[in-house]
Amino acid sequence: MKKILVAIYTVWYKLCTWLTPGVSMKHACCFLLRMKVPQTNHVMLEGGPIEYTTLTVEGLNNEVVTSSELRRCKIKIVGNNNRLDLCHAKLFDGEIVVRGNNCVVEFGEGSSLGSGTIVCMGEATSITIGANTMMADNIDIWNSDTHPIFDSECNLINPSASIRIGEHVWLGKNVKVLKGVTIGDNAIVGMNAMVTKNISPNSLNVGTPAREIKTGVNWERRFIES
């Protein structure tokens, strides 16, 4: 029954995209997708499936490109000239918020998110997640404190800062990644850790704040069987 409903909804969405400026659909299967995309913005649905997901765009010249599997996700973009690029990833129970101007959020091919929140704010900042990165449940990635703090002379002292997560990185359950950090390729961040500074490639890191406990490591997605 669900397959029939998905087919009906997909045909309906395709008809709607023909009538909606700025929205295009190609090779995507959609079910209970809600979109609010004003004119002058552009959304390209190039893959799927996309189910139980909400996409809201407010502002001018924003672009969303997805060829990913999205299930029970909430995506909101507020501002101008922002870009969200989800390339053949898998996101479940995820919330992505982009608020600002000229900001970029990118998921590399084969990356995945079990659940969590990703927030990119500010002016010309970014969050980049490399290919084949595996993020477990309840992940928090914030490149901003979200509210400004000023010194006695009214200077902003907590600007947003970009985050880069390399390729084939494993973030364990409840990991938090804060602004301005880079996580190197093949790194592992253990459960409940908070990343506040750069992490070296091929390293194992645990704790709050996260600290390196082993180097020269690698990992695989498959389950431990023996």
Side-chain angles (χ1 to χ4, degrees):
M1 176 61 72
K2 183 178 178 180
K3 290 182 178 179
I4 295 174
L5 291 174
V6 169
I8 294 172
Y9 271 94
T10 300
V11 171
W12 168 252
Y13 288 126
K14 286 184 177 180
L15 290 173
C16 290
T17 57
W18 291 340
L19 301 175
T20 305
V23 178
S24 61
M25 184 173 177
K26 181 180 180 181
H27 305 310
C29 296
C30 300
F31 181 65
L32 295 180
L33 167 64
R34 292 178 292 175
M35 289 190 295
K36 181 180 178 182
V37 183
Q39 294 185 18
T40 77
N41 299 284
H42 192 32
V43 173
M44 291 178 283
L45 307 177
E46 298 182 342
I50 303 173
E51 299 183 355
Y52 306 102
T53 291
T54 301
L55 171 60
T56 304
V57 180
E58 300 176 9
L60 303 173
N61 302 317
N62 298 290
E63 185 174 20
V64 178
V65 181
T66 175
S67 53
S68 297
E69 179 178 349
L70 306 176
R71 300 184 189 271
R72 301 176 300 278
C73 292
K74 295 181 180 178
I75 299 171
K76 186 170 186 178
I77 298 176
V78 180
N80 304 319
N81 304 306
N82 300 297
R83 177 178 172 85
L84 172 61
D85 191 347
L86 307 175
C87 178
H88 297 289
K90 293 184 178 182
L91 283 71
F92 305 101
D93 298 293
E95 181 176 8
I96 299 176
V97 178
V98 181
R99 183 180 293 271
N101 300 306
N102 303 296
C103 295
V104 177
V105 174
E106 294 180 325
F107 275 66
E109 185 171 359
S111 58
S112 62
L113 173 68
S115 66
T117 302
I118 296 171
V119 176
C120 183
M121 300 179 66
E123 186 73 32
T125 63
S126 64
I127 295 177
T128 303
I129 298 169
N132 299 310
T133 284
M134 182 173 70
M135 295 170 284
D137 295 328
N138 199 31
I139 301 297
D140 274 310
I141 301 174
W142 296 64
N143 82 335
S144 175
D145 299 330
T146 71
H147 301 287
I149 302 174
F150 301 97
D151 62 17
S152 59
E153 297 179 350
C154 295
N155 297 309
L156 181 68
I157 62 174
N158 67 329
S160 301
S162 297
I163 292 172
R164 181 186 177 278
I165 299 174
E167 296 186 356
H168 197 246
V169 170
W170 177 9
L171 302 184
K173 187 175 181 180
N174 300 321
V175 164
K176 295 173 174 57
V177 181
L178 303 188
K179 64 182 184 180
V181 304
T182 295
I183 300 178
D185 296 345
N186 300 306
I188 303 168
V189 183
M191 187 182 295
N192 297 314
M194 179 181 289
V195 181
T196 60
K197 61 182 181 180
N198 292 349
I199 284 179
S200 301
N202 298 97
S203 64
L204 175 59
N205 305 265
V206 299
T208 301
R211 67 189 187 281
E212 184 179 289
I213 62 170
K214 193 172 182 62
T215 60
V217 301
N218 209 331
W219 64 277
E220 297 179 2
R221 273 186 181 262
R222 64 185 177 89
F223 292 108
I224 296 175
E225 298 177 350
S226 61

